[in-house]
Amino acid sequence: MYALIETIHAAGLLTCFALLSTSRIGACIRWLSFQGILFGMVPLIIPDDGLTTRTLLMAGGSLVLKGIAFPWILLKLRARANYNREVQPFVSFVMSILCGILILSLSVWLTLQMKPALIHAPFVLLNSSIFLIFVGLFLMISRRNALMQVIGYLVLENGIFVFGVITVVGTPLLVELGVLLDAFVGVFVMGIAIYHITREFGSMDVDRLTELRG
Amino acid sequence: MFEFTAAILLLALGGTLAIVLYPRAGPCQLAGQIGAVLGSASGLVAALRVLITGDAVSLSGTWHMPGGSLHLEIDVLSAFFLLPVFGLSIVTGLYGRSYLANRGGFASAASWLHLNMLTAGMALVIAAHDGLLFLLAWEIMALSPFFLVIFDDRKTAVRHAAWTYLAAAHLGTAFLLVLFVLLGSIAGTSDFAAYGAALKNHQALRSSVFLLALIGFGVKAGIVPAHVWLPEAHPVAPSHASALMSGAMIKVGIYGLVRILTLLGTPEPWWGWLLIAVGASSGVLGVLFALAQHDLKRLLAYHSVENIGIILLGIGIGVLGLARGMPLLAVIGFASGFLHVLNHSIFKGLLFLGAGAVHRAAHSLELEELGGLLKRMPWTGTFFLIGAAAIVGLPPLNGFVSEFLLLYAGFLAVLQPAAAVAVAGLIVIVILGLIGGLAAACFAKAFGIVFLGSPRSEEASEAREVARPMRASMAVLALLCIAIGLGAPLAVASLAGVVAGMTGATVGTVSAELAIVTRPLAVAVSVFAFLIAVAALAWALRARRLAAASVRRGPVWGCGYLFPSPKMQYTASSFAQPLTTQFHLLIRNRETLVPPQGYFPADSSYVSDSGDPALRLLFVPTFRWFDRVVTRLNVIQHGHIHVYILYVAATLIALLIWESL
Amino acid sequence: MPASGSLALPVCALILAPMLLGIVNRTKAVIAGRRGPPLLQPYWDIAKSLRRGAVYGEVTTWLFRLGPVVGLATLAAALLVTPFGGVRAPVSFSGDPIVLVGLLALGRFATVLAALDTGSSFEGMGASREVHFAALAEPALLLALATLARVTGSFALTPVYQAITIGAWADALPTFALVAMTLLVITLVENTRIPVDDPATHLELTMIHEVMVLDHSGPDLGLIQYAAALKVWIVGALLVGLVTPIRSGSVWLDGAAMLVGMVLLAGVIGMIESAMARYRLAQVPQFIVAAATLSAVAFIIRLI
C-alpha cells in the first residue's frame, strides 16, 4: 500500500518536472493527462472505508475528466490555433527546472510544518499536493502561451484535489465534485477566451492583452 | 406583525408581477399599483395598531447567514416613522399609474418594482432591531431609488445625477458600517438591545457613536454639506418616486439618528448644540439655495434640505432639554421635530405630486416657461397652493403647528435663567423666523410664476388638467394638511406616546407636559376659526356689494404699453434677485449678462447658473485631488496577467511561511 | 388663558384705526406748509371705494379677489390677541406672539400672491421687494418680542405688556429703549412708510406696497385701505404699549394713555416721513438688520 503511494508520488514529481522542461505543447498535454490518471487513483487508495460508490465516482470522474476530456479539448484548441511550441517563456526552461527544485524544497519544508496538524494524510501525498499547487502557479506565471496557462491551472486544480482527498475526513461528495466542476468551468472559459485572443491578436501570447489597457 | 409581513410580501409581489406582465402595459401597471396600495395599506394598519394600543410587536426568526439575527420590532417610535412611509406610498401608488400612462417601455414597468422595493426597504429599516438586518435593509432602500432616478437614462444629466446619488448614498453607508461594527464589537451581538446595554458600559465611545450616526444618517437625510445628491437625484426621478423619496426616504435618516439617540441614553449638551447648529445651517442654506433655482423640482428638493434643518432644530432643542434636565423643553422640542417629520412628508409629497402634474400637463418644469396654470388646471393649482402655504408655515395649516411648537420651545428656552439655553432658544427663534420669511419668498415665487399671470410658453398655454386619480391623491394630502392644522391640539396630544419613547419618561407625564402646549394651541385654532369666519363674511359682503355695482374686465396696467407680452412679466430669477444678491456670499450663483447695447438693441440675455455651491466648492475639488493622488498608484495596473498571478502566488507563499513560523 | 379682556378693544380698534392714517397725512401736510386733508378723510376714502364698481384684469383668477379679504381677515384676527398697553386683549395664551407673526405672514403671502396674479411686471416688482424686506423683518420682530419675553418672564403678549410698568422701565432701561427702536423700525417697514417705501406715489422706483395693490379697485381697494389702517394700529400698539408704561389698573385710564400715545406715534411717523427721504433699496436691508441687531444687543445685555 505504502509502496503504491510512494510510486504515485515519484511519478507525480516526474510529470511536474516534465511539464516544467518541455516546450512542445502536445507533449505537455499528454504529461497532464498522465498526471490526471495518476492522481485520479488516489481516492481509491486513501480512504479507510475502501471502495465505496463515492470513491469510485470520484476516481472515475477524475479519470474521465482529467485523463481524457480536458486533454482532448486542449488538443483540439491547439490544432485550431496551430501553435505547437512555447517558444520564449518568461523563465527559460533550464531556469524552470532549477526553480522546480527550489519549489520542491519549499514544499517539503511546508509539509513538515503542516504535518503535525494533519494526522490522516500520508506525508508524501501531502508533499505532492503542495508541490503540484506551486508548480501550477509557476507555470501560469512563467509561460506566455494561453494553452500553457490552462495547463498550469489544471495542475493547480490537481494539487487542490489531492489535498482535499487526503486531508478532509467525512465530507460530502459535493466538495470534491465542486473541485472537478471548478476545473471543468475553467477549461470551458479558457477555451472561449483562447478563441477570442487568437482571433484578436493572431497569436496566443497572453502578454499581448496589455494592449487592451485603457 | 402579520400585517407588516403581509405588507412586505404584497409590495414585493406587486413589483414582481409588474415585471412579469411587462409586455402588456395595462395589467402590469395595475399589478404594480395594486401591490403598492394594498401592501402599504396593510403596513399602515400595522403601524396604526401599535400607535393606538401603545404595545410593541416583534418578530424573531431563524437566520441563515453568519452573524446577525432576524429581529423585527415595531415599537411606538418605529410605528410613527412607518406612518409617512406607508401613508405616502399609498398616495403615490394611486398617483403613479396615471402619471406613467402612455409612457410605455420596460422602465415604466420596472419602476413599480423599484418603487415597491423602496417602500419595503424603508419599512424593514424602520422595523429592524438587529444591526446586520438594518444594514441589509438600508442597502435595499438605498439601491432601489438609483433605478428610479435613472428612469430617463438616455440623458447624460440623468445618468450623472444617478451616479452622484449612488456615490453619496454609499459614502453615508460607509459611516454606518463603521458605526455598526463599532457597536457590534463592544456589544458582542448585533441586536439593538445589546447595543444599549453595552453603551452604558463604554461611556467614552458614546460621542464617537453619536458623530458617526449624525454623519452617516445625515447624508441620507440631506444635511448641509452632505445634501448635494438631493437636488440632483430628486428632480430627475418620476414625480411620484420623488415624492416618496423626499417625503419618506430622508425621514428614515432622521429615524436612524433618533434610534441611535435612544440607545445612547442621557445625551451630552454639546450634542444638542451641534444638532441645532447643523439644523440652522441646513435650514437657512437650503432655503437660500432653493431661492436661486428655476427648475421646479430642484427648488422643491432644496426645500427638503431646509425642512430637515427645521426637524433637526426641534430634535436639537429636545436633546438639549434632555441633557440639561428640562423635561418640558425636551418634550416640546421632540414633539415639534416628530410632528414636522409627519407634516413635511404630507406637504412635500403634495408639492411633488403637483409638480408632476405640471410636468405632465405643460411638459416642462422650467419656471421661466410656465405661467397662468391656475386657470387651466384649477384643481392642481389649488392643491399646490395649500401645499405651498403649509410648507411656508402659514396658519391655519399643519406647517404652522409644528413651527408653533418649535418657536414655543424656543421661547421657553429664552425664559430660562441659564444663559446658554436662552441663547439656544434665541437662535432657534431667529433662524426659524428667517427661514419662514425666505420660504415665503421662495414659494411666492414658485407658485406665482408657475400658476399665476400669463403663460410664458406655448406648452403652458395648452396645458390641461390631469387625470382624476392624480387629483384625488393630491386632494387626500391637501385635506390632511388642513385637518392636522385645524385639529392641532388632537394631533399634538397624540404624539405623547412617540415622545415618551424618545425621552424615556412615562406616557402620562409626557401627556401632561404636552397638555401645556395643547391648551394654547386650542385657543390659537379658535382664533383661526374666527379668521376663516371673518374672511367668509367679508367675501359675502363684498360679493353682495359687487352684485349691485358694475363689474368689468379689462387689461392690467402695463404703463400704457400697447402690446404687452407674457415675456414682460416678472420671471423667477428676477423675483428672487433682491434676495439672491443680498445673500450672494452664501449662494454664489453665477450670472452671465449680455446687456442691450446701442439705440436699437438686438440681442441681450441673462443666464443665472445655480449649481450647488457645496458640490462646486467642496466635493468636486476634493474628489479631483483624490483622483490625482490615486492615479499615481496606476503603476501597479500594468496589464500583465503573469505578474498578477505572481502577486497571488507570492502572497500565498508569504502567508504560508508566516503561518508556519 | 382665553378671553381675558373684553371685545370692546377690538371694536374700538376697528373704529379708530383709520384715524391714525388721517393724523399722519395731516401732520405731513402741516409740516409742508399746507392745510392738509381733514382728519376723517381716510374714512371717506374707504367708503368711496366700497361704493364703487370694480374692474378686474383679464388675467386674474379668484386668488386676486381673495387677497384683500384674507389680508383684512388676518388683521382682524390679529386684533384678538394684540393688547393695548395695559388694556388686555380679548384672547391671550402663551405663544400668541407666534400666532401674531403667523397671521401677519399669512396676510402678506395673500397680498403677494394677489399681486403676482395680475401678471404685470409692476406688481411682480413690488412683490419681490416686499418678500425681501419681510424675510428680514420677521426675524427682527421675533427677536424684539423674545427680548421682551425674557425681560418680563412670560411669552403671552397680554402679560408681557401688563408687566411693562414704570418700575420695569427703571429696571431695564437700556433693554427697553433698544427694543423700542427696533419696534419703531419694524412699524415703518410693516406699514411701508418712508424710509422704506413711499406710500404717496405709484412710481415703480419708489413703491413696494402701493404697487402691489395697483390693479385692485372698488370694494377690494376699500378693504385694502382699511387693512392698511388696521396694520398701523396693531404694530403701532406693540410699540406704544412698550413706550407708555402707564399701568394704573383702570381700563379707561390705560386706554386713554395709549390713545394719546398712538396719536403721538402717528405724528412721529408723519414727522419722519417729512424729514427723511426714502432709502435706496439696497440700503433698506442694512436698516432692518441694524434694527434687529439692536434687539440682539438688548437681549445680550439682559443675559448677564
Side-chain angles (χ1 to χ4, degrees), chain B residues 374-375 382 385 388-389 392 394-396 400 403-404 407-408 411-419 422-423 426 429-430 433-434 436-438 440-441 443-445 447-449 452-454 519-520 523-524 527-528 530-531 534-535 538-539 542 545-546 549-559 568-570 574-576 578-579 582-583, chain C residues 1-2 50-63 65-66 69-70 72-74 76-77 80-81 91 93-99 102-103 105-106 109 112-113 116-125 127-129 131-132 134-136 138-139 142-143 145-146 149-150 153-155 204 214-215 219-220 223 285 289 299 303:
Chain B
L374 186 59
K375 281 202 158 152
T382 316
L385 177 63
V392 172
L394 298 178
F400 178 75
E403 293 199 1
F404 179 89
L407 284 169
Y408 194 97
F411 272 102
L412 252 177
V414 159
L415 291 183
Q416 299 294 326
V423 170
L426 191 70
I429 292 176
V430 171
L434 183 63
L438 291 171
F443 271 96
K445 174 182 105 166
F447 182 78
I449 303 287
L452 303 177
S454 322
R519 259 176 275 139
V523 184
V527 170
F528 301 147
F530 177 79
L531 161 75
V534 168
W539 183 271
R542 176 191 154 277
R545 192 83 272 292
L546 281 176
S550 81
V551 178
R552 285 184 297 123
R553 308 278 304 202
V556 295
W557 173 246
C559 214
M568 288 164 67
Q569 292 175 101
Y570 242 51
S574 33
F575 188 87
L579 276 165
Q582 165 128 48
F583 288 103
Chain C
M1 253 185 288
L50 285 174
R51 269 201 305 270
R52 279 191 176 153
V55 179
Y56 289 109
E58 284 143 349
V59 184
T60 59
T61 64
W62 53 268
L63 208 52
R65 294 146 181 75
L66 191 61
V69 170
V70 172
L72 181 65
T74 56
L80 283 180
V81 293
V91 176
F93 52 93
S94 50
D96 57 18
I98 306 169
V99 171
L103 286 170
L106 177 62
F109 196 68
V112 164
L113 285 184
L116 285 173
D117 199 16
T118 58
S120 154
S121 36
F122 286 92
E123 276 91 340
M125 194 180 294
S128 158
R129 294 164 180 175
V131 293
H132 179 197
L136 299 170
E138 197 176 310
L142 280 170
L143 192 51
L145 291 174
R150 184 162 175 89
S154 153
F155 56 100
E204 59 264 30
L214 193 62
D215 278 291
D220 293 332
L223 291 176
V289 172
F299 187 88
L303 263 184

Side-chain angles (χ1 to χ4, degrees), chain B residues 535-608:
Chain B
L537 184 65
W539 183 271
L541 285 176
R542 176 191 154 277
R544 225 170 61 124
R545 192 83 272 292
L546 281 176
S550 81
V551 178
R552 285 184 297 123
R553 308 278 304 202
V556 295
W557 173 246
C559 214
Y561 202 63
L562 275 179
F563 303 107
S565 97
K567 290 278 184 186
M568 288 164 67
Q569 292 175 101
Y570 242 51
T571 62
S573 309
S574 33
F575 188 87
Q577 191 258 352
L579 276 165
T580 53
T581 317
Q582 165 128 48
F583 288 103
H584 182 76
L585 197 67
L586 292 171
I587 304 180
R588 294 187 192 269
N589 56 332
R590 290 179 295 204
E591 298 177 332
T592 330
L593 175 66
V594 176
Q597 289 178 340
Y599 291 112
F600 296 101
D603 269 332
S604 66
S605 67
Y606 169 83
V607 178
S608 76

Side-chain angles (χ1 to χ4, degrees), chain C residues 114-206:
Chain C
L116 285 173
D117 199 16
T118 58
S120 154
S121 36
F122 286 92
E123 276 91 340
M125 194 180 294
S128 158
R129 294 164 180 175
E130 169 80 8
V131 293
H132 179 197
F133 299 152
L136 299 170
E138 197 176 310
L141 180 58
L142 280 170
L143 192 51
L145 291 174
T147 313
L148 285 180
R150 184 162 175 89
V151 173
T152 54
S154 153
F155 56 100
L157 284 173
T158 302
V160 166
Y161 279 91
Q162 290 276 320
I164 300 181
T165 60
I166 300 188
W169 261 92
D171 201 28
L173 181 67
T175 312
F176 280 161
L178 289 170
V179 173
M181 283 192 261
T182 310
L183 283 176
L184 178 61
V185 169
I186 289 177
T187 312
L188 294 173
V189 170
E190 288 282 347
N191 298 302
T192 61
R193 300 269 132 200
I194 289 179
V196 172
D197 180 18
D198 190 346
T201 71
H202 296 267
L203 299 172
E204 59 264 30
L205 293 176
T206 64

Side-chain angles (χ1 to χ4, degrees), chain C:
Chain C
M1 253 185 288
S4 52
S6 75
L7 282 171
L9 173 61
V11 170
C12 286
L14 288 171
I15 298 174
L16 293 173
M19 176 94 80
L20 293 176
L21 285 181
I23 298 175
V24 172
N25 291 333
R26 191 63 177 271
T27 317
K28 280 163 61 173
V30 165
I31 293 181
R34 299 181 274 123
R35 279 249 320 257
L39 283 175
L40 297 180
Q41 183 63 35
Y43 292 97
W44 297 334
D45 286 336
I46 294 173
K48 178 179 68 173
S49 297
L50 285 174
R51 269 201 305 270
R52 279 191 176 153
V55 179
Y56 289 109
E58 284 143 349
V59 184
T60 59
T61 64
W62 53 268
L63 208 52
F64 185 74
R65 294 146 181 75
L66 191 61
V69 170
V70 172
L72 181 65
T74 56
L75 290 170
L79 274 178
L80 283 180
V81 293
T82 318
F84 198 53
V87 182
R88 291 200 291 266
V91 176
S92 166
F93 52 93
S94 50
D96 57 18
I98 306 169
V99 171
L100 178 66
V101 172
L103 286 170
L104 291 175
L106 177 62
R108 192 181 305 122
F109 196 68
T111 316
V112 164
L113 285 184
L116 285 173
D117 199 16
T118 58
S120 154
S121 36
F122 286 92
E123 276 91 340
M125 194 180 294
S128 158
R129 294 164 180 175
E130 169 80 8
V131 293
H132 179 197
F133 299 152
L136 299 170
E138 197 176 310
L141 180 58
L142 280 170
L143 192 51
L145 291 174
T147 313
L148 285 180
R150 184 162 175 89
V151 173
T152 54
S154 153
F155 56 100
L157 284 173
T158 302
V160 166
Y161 279 91
Q162 290 276 320
I164 300 181
T165 60
I166 300 188
W169 261 92
D171 201 28
L173 181 67
T175 312
F176 280 161
L178 289 170
V179 173
M181 283 192 261
T182 310
L183 283 176
L184 178 61
V185 169
I186 289 177
T187 312
L188 294 173
V189 170
E190 288 282 347
N191 298 302
T192 61
R193 300 269 132 200
I194 289 179
V196 172
D197 180 18
D198 190 346
T201 71
H202 296 267
L203 299 172
E204 59 264 30
L205 293 176
T206 64
M207 57 202 180
I208 302 172
H209 191 74
E210 285 302 311
V211 74
M212 280 206 290
V213 300
L214 193 62
D215 278 291
H216 287 274
S217 54
D220 293 332
L221 188 59
L223 291 176
I224 289 173
Q225 290 167 331
Y226 188 51
L230 279 182
K231 204 168 199 190
V232 177
W233 178 278
I234 291 172
V235 187
L238 289 179
L239 172 59
V240 177
L242 174 61
V243 176
T244 22
I246 297 179
R247 307 281 182 268
S248 63
S250 148
V251 168
W252 295 105
L253 201 56
D254 292 340
M258 281 295 293
L259 270 177
V260 170
M262 294 292 270
V263 168
L264 283 174
L265 173 67
V268 163
I269 293 179
M271 281 193 276
I272 294 177
E273 293 218 307
S274 308
M276 288 181 76
R278 217 210 62 194
Y279 281 151
R280 272 172 40 224
L281 281 172
Q283 288 176 304
V284 175
Q286 296 170 13
F287 184 52
I288 304 175
V289 172
T293 323
L294 292 176
S295 267
V297 169
F299 187 88
I300 293 174
I301 295 177
R302 204 58 197 175
L303 263 184
I304 314 161

